[in-house]
C-alpha cells in the first residue's frame, strides 16, 4: 500500500470506526449497567435476564440481517453518491422490518412464559423472567427503526449521529434503572419489571433521536414517504438475492448461540449464572472492536461501488491484520482483570470461580472472533458474498460447535468452561475458511451497477 493510500486508509478508519466503536461501547456499557444493577437481586434474577436477552437476540439478529443488507447496498451506492437509490433502499428495509418486528412483538408479548420455558425448567426463573421478556417485547419496533436508520447513516459516513443518540439513551436508561429497580426518589421498587420498563422507554427515545436527526439535518434517507417507498423492481430483486443469505447466516449463528444457552441453563442455575455474568464483558470487548468490522464494510463497499477493486482488496487485508493485533492486546488485559470483574457481582463462590474460567477462555479466543467479524461481517458481505458466508457459518456452528457442546455437557459431563473452550474451536475453522476466501478474490463485486434509481 503506497503512503498516500495508507494515510487515506487510517484517516477513514478513525473517521468511521471510532464513532461506531464508541456507540457499541456505550450500548455494551448499558447492558453491563443493567446486569450490575439486576445482579444485586441475586442468581435467579441474573439467569432470568440472561434467558430473556437470548430470546431478544434471536429476534434482533433477524432484523440485523435486514439492516446489514441495507448497509451493504447503501455503502456501494454511496461510493457513487447515489442518494435517491439509498432512500429507496431504506424504504425497502423499513417495509420488511415493520412486518417482522410487529409479528415478533405479538408472538412474545402474548406467550412469554411458554417461550422462557423452552430455555429452562427452573420454575423461579420462568416466574421471574416472563414479566421482563413480555415488557421488553414492546421495544422491538423502535429498535428496528433505530437499526435501519443507523445502518444508512453508518454506510454514508454519518456515524456520529447514532453515537450521540446512544450516549443519551444510556444516560436515560441508567437513571431509570436506578429509579425503577430499587425505588428511589419516591418511585416504587419494581425489580426486574422496572428494568424492563426502563429499557423500553430508552429504546423509544433513541429511535426518536435518530429519526429526528435524519430529517432535521437532511441526511441520507430524509425524504417524504412517497419517495421512500417508491421502490424499483431491479433493486428489490437484487436486494433479496443478497440479503436472504445474510438473514439465514444471522439465524444460524443465533440459533447456535441459543442452543448453547439452553445447554448452559440445563447444566444448572450456577452454570447459567456464571455464563450470564460474562455476557456484558464479552459484549463490551467485541463492541470495542466492532467498529473495525463496520468500517471495513463501509470502506471496502465504497471502493467496490466506485469501481476501485484493487484498493478494496488492499483495504481488506489491512483491516484483518489491524484487527488481530489490537484484539490480542485486549485479550491479555481481559484475562488479567477477570477476577476483579467477577467480584462485582453478588453471586455464589462456585459461580464466581466458573465465571473467571469462562472469561479466560473468551480472552484466549478474542483475536480469532474479531478477525472473523471483520472477514465475514465486514469484508465478504461488502462484496455481496453472502451465500459463501452462510455456508461457512453453518458448517462451523452445526458440524463443530453444537455437536461438541452437546457431547461434552450431557454425555461426558465436563465443567462449563471446558464445554465453552471446545465449542469455541469453531471460530478457528471459520477463520481458515474466511481467509482462504479473501485471498481467492471471488468476493470482489460491484453490486449496484445497473440498478440505480
Amino acid at each position: 500500500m503506497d503512503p498516500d493510500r495508507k494515510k487515506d486508509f487510517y484517516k477513514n478508519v478513525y473517521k468511521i470506526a471510532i464513532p461506531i466503536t464508541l456507540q457499541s461501547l456505550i450500548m455494551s456499557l448499558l447492558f453491563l449497567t443493567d446486569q450490575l444493577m439486576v445482579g444485586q437481586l441475586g442468581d435467579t434474577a441474573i439467569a432470568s435476564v440472561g434467558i430473556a436477552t437470548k430470546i431478544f437476540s434471536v429476534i434482533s439478529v433477524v432484523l440485523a440481517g435486514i439492516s446489514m443488507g441495507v448497509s451493504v447496498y447503501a455503502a456501494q451506492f454511496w461510493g457513487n453518491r447515489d442518494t435517491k437509490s439509498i432512500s429507496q433502499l431504506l424504504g425497502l428495509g423499513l417495509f420488511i422490518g415493520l412486518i417482522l418486528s410487529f409479528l415478533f412483538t405479538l408472538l412474545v408479548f402474548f406467550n412469554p412464559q411458554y417461550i422462557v420455558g423452552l430455555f429452562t425448567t427452573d420454575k423461579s426463573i420462568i416466574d421471574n423472567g416472563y414479566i421482563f421478556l413480555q415488557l421488553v417485547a414492546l421495544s422491538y419496533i423502535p429498535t428496528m427503526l433505530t437499526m435501519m436508520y443507523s445502518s444508512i447513516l453508518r454506510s454514508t459516513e454519518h456515524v456520529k449521529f447514532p453515537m450521540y443518540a446512544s450516549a443519551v439513551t444510556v444516560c436515560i436508561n441508567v437513571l431509570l434503572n436506578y429509579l425503577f429497580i430499587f425505588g428511589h426518589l419516591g418511585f416504587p421498587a419494581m425489580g426486574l419489571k422496572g428494568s424492563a420498563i426502563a429499557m423500553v422507554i430508552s429504546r423509544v427515545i433513541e429511535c426518536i433521536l435518530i429519526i429526528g436527526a435524519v430529517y432535521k439535518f437532511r441526511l441520507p434517507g430524509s425524504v417524504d414517504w412517497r419517495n421512500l417507498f417508491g421502490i424499483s423492481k431491479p433493486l428489490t430483486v437484487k436486494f433479496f438475492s443478497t440479503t436472504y443469505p445474510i438473514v439465514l447466516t444471522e439465524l444460524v449463528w443465533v440459533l447456535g448461540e441459543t442452543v448453547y444457552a439452553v445447554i448452559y441453563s440445563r447444566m444448572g442455575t450456577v452454570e447459567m449464572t456464571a455464563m450470564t455474568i460474562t455476557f456484558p464483558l464479552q459484549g463490551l470487548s467485541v463492541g470495542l472492536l466492532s467498529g473495525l468490522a463496520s468500517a471495513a464494510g463501509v470502506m471496502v463497499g465504497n471502493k467496490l461501488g466506485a469501481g476501485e477493486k484493487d484498493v478494496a482488496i488492499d483495504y481488506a487485508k489491512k483491516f484483518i491484520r489491524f484487527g488481530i493485533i489490537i484484539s490480542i492486546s485486549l485479550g491479555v488485559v481481559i484475562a488479567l482483570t477477570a477476577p476483579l470483574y467477577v467480584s462485582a457481582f453478588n453471586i455464589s463462590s462456585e459461580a464466581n470461580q466458573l465465571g473467571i474460567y469462562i472469561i479466560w477462555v473468551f480472552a484466549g479466543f478474542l483475536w480469532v472472533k474479531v478477525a472473523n467479524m471483520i472477514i465475514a461481517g465486514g469484508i465478504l458481505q461488502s462484496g455481496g458474498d453472502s451465500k459463501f458466508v452462510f455456508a461457512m457459518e453453518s458448517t462451523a456452528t452445526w458440524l463443530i460447535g453444537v455437536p461438541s457442546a452437546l457431547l461434552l455437557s450431557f454425555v461426558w459431563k465436563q465443567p462449563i468452561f471446558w464445554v465453552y473452550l471446545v465449542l469455541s474451536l469453531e471460530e478457528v475453522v471459520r477463520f481458515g475458511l474466511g481467509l482462504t476466501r479473501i485471498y481467492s478474490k471471488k468476493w470482489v463485486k460491484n453490486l449496484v451497477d445497473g440498478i440505480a434509481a
Side-chain angles (χ1 to χ4, degrees):
M1 186 179 290
D2 61 63
D4 290 338
R5 185 182 296 173
K6 188 174 181 180
K7 182 179 179 181
D8 184 60
F9 172 83
Y10 283 111
K11 178 182 177 181
N12 282 292
V13 167
Y14 297 142
K15 178 183 175 182
I16 299 171
I18 290 178
I20 294 175
T21 297
L22 288 175
Q23 184 188 10
S24 298
L25 176 61
I26 289 167
M27 298 312 295
S28 296
L29 286 173
L30 167 60
F31 184 31
L32 176 58
T33 303
D34 274 345
Q35 287 281 30
L36 288 173
M37 289 186 174
V38 172
Q40 307 310 308
L41 303 176
D43 285 12
T44 299
I46 295 174
S48 298
V49 173
I51 291 172
T53 301
K54 281 298 178 185
I55 294 167
F56 178 74
S57 296
V58 176
I59 296 164
S60 64
V61 297
V62 175
L63 301 176
I66 303 297
S67 68
M68 187 180 295
V70 170
S71 181
V72 167
Y73 280 88
Q76 292 214 10
F77 279 129
W78 189 245
N80 292 324
R81 296 302 188 265
D82 184 355
T83 56
K84 186 175 180 181
S85 294
I86 289 173
S87 296
Q88 291 189 3
L89 181 65
L90 174 60
L92 183 58
L94 290 174
F95 178 74
I96 301 168
L98 282 169
I99 294 173
L100 292 175
S101 58
F102 181 70
L103 292 176
F104 287 143
T105 300
L106 291 179
L107 175 65
V108 176
F109 186 82
F110 290 106
N111 301 280
Q113 285 181 301
Y114 172 75
I115 294 175
V116 174
L118 296 174
F119 288 77
T120 182
T121 56
D122 190 321
K123 191 174 185 301
S124 64
I125 295 177
I126 295 174
D127 292 341
N128 285 278
Y130 95 89
I131 298 174
F132 182 86
L133 178 64
Q134 185 178 49
L135 291 174
V136 167
L138 299 176
S139 70
Y140 295 164
I141 292 177
T143 298
M144 180 280 301
L145 293 170
T146 299
M147 291 169 69
M148 295 303 166
Y149 277 93
S150 294
S151 67
I152 291 293
L153 293 177
R154 288 172 181 164
S155 298
T156 58
E157 302 176 39
H158 297 89
V159 291
K160 292 183 179 179
F161 294 97
M163 180 189 69
Y164 294 147
S166 295
V168 173
T169 299
V170 167
C171 294
I172 292 172
N173 197 91
V174 170
L175 175 61
L176 294 180
N177 270 339
Y178 177 76
L179 298 177
F180 295 164
I181 294 177
F182 305 112
H184 295 293
L185 300 180
F187 287 87
M190 293 182 282
L192 275 177
K193 183 178 179 181
S195 176
I197 293 172
M199 180 179 292
V200 173
I201 294 173
S202 301
R203 293 295 188 184
V204 171
I205 292 174
E206 182 182 27
C207 174
I208 293 171
L209 289 174
I210 288 285
I211 297 176
V214 167
Y215 281 90
K216 178 177 175 58
F217 298 104
R218 306 302 300 172
L219 303 175
S222 59
V223 296
D224 59 49
W225 291 101
R226 182 184 61 185
N227 291 328
L228 189 63
F229 291 105
I231 305 163
S232 69
K233 184 177 179 180
L235 173 59
T236 303
V237 171
K238 197 160 187 180
F239 176 82
F240 273 104
S241 69
T242 304
T243 303
Y244 85 82
I246 296 177
V247 175
L248 291 176
T249 299
E250 294 294 313
L251 278 173
V252 163
W253 176 80
V254 79
L255 288 175
E257 292 295 309
T258 302
V259 171
Y260 299 151
V262 172
I263 291 171
Y264 301 147
S265 62
R266 291 184 181 271
M267 289 178 74
T269 300
V270 170
E271 284 79 3
M272 185 61 192
T273 299
M275 181 60 70
T276 298
I277 65 169
T278 71
F279 290 155
L281 181 61
Q282 291 189 39
L284 184 63
S285 305
V286 174
L288 278 171
L289 301 171
S290 64
L292 288 176
S294 298
V298 172
M299 290 171 58
V300 174
N302 287 167
K303 295 302 180 184
L304 291 175
E308 301 177 35
K309 294 183 178 181
D310 290 338
V311 179
I313 293 169
D314 285 344
Y315 277 11
K317 295 176 181 178
K318 191 72 173 178
F319 268 113
I320 295 169
R321 290 193 296 268
F322 194 39
I324 289 175
I325 292 170
I326 294 177
S327 54
I328 289 175
S329 303
L330 180 60
V332 172
V333 174
I334 292 170
L336 293 174
T337 57
L340 180 63
Y341 170 81
V342 173
S343 67
F345 293 89
N346 179 27
I347 56 177
S348 62
S349 58
E350 184 181 359
N352 183 292
Q353 191 61 56
L354 287 175
I356 293 173
Y357 292 156
I358 291 168
I359 291 172
W360 284 346
V361 173
F362 169 75
F365 281 93
L366 180 60
W367 72 270
V368 72
K369 288 177 181 288
V370 171
N372 289 337
M373 185 169 61
I374 293 170
I375 291 170
I379 298 166
L380 296 181
Q381 297 287 25
S382 71
D385 203 17
S386 53
K387 293 179 181 177
F388 173 83
V389 173
F390 170 65
M392 177 178 68
E393 295 288 344
S394 301
T395 299
T397 299
W398 294 100
L399 296 184
I400 298 172
V402 171
S404 63
L406 290 170
L407 286 172
L408 285 163
S409 59
F410 297 135
V411 178
W412 296 325
K413 307 294 184 182
Q414 294 300 305
I416 190 170
F417 57 87
W418 278 114
V419 175
Y420 182 51
L421 187 151
V422 174
L423 70 85
S424 294
L425 292 174
E426 69 179 40
E427 297 286 357
V428 179
V429 175
R430 283 193 186 96
F431 180 71
L433 294 173
L435 200 62
T436 301
R437 187 70 170 184
I438 290 291
Y439 280 90
S440 75
K441 302 180 183 179
K442 293 179 181 179
W443 56 275
V444 182
K445 302 167 189 169
N446 185 323
L447 300 174
V448 299
D449 187 28
I451 63 168

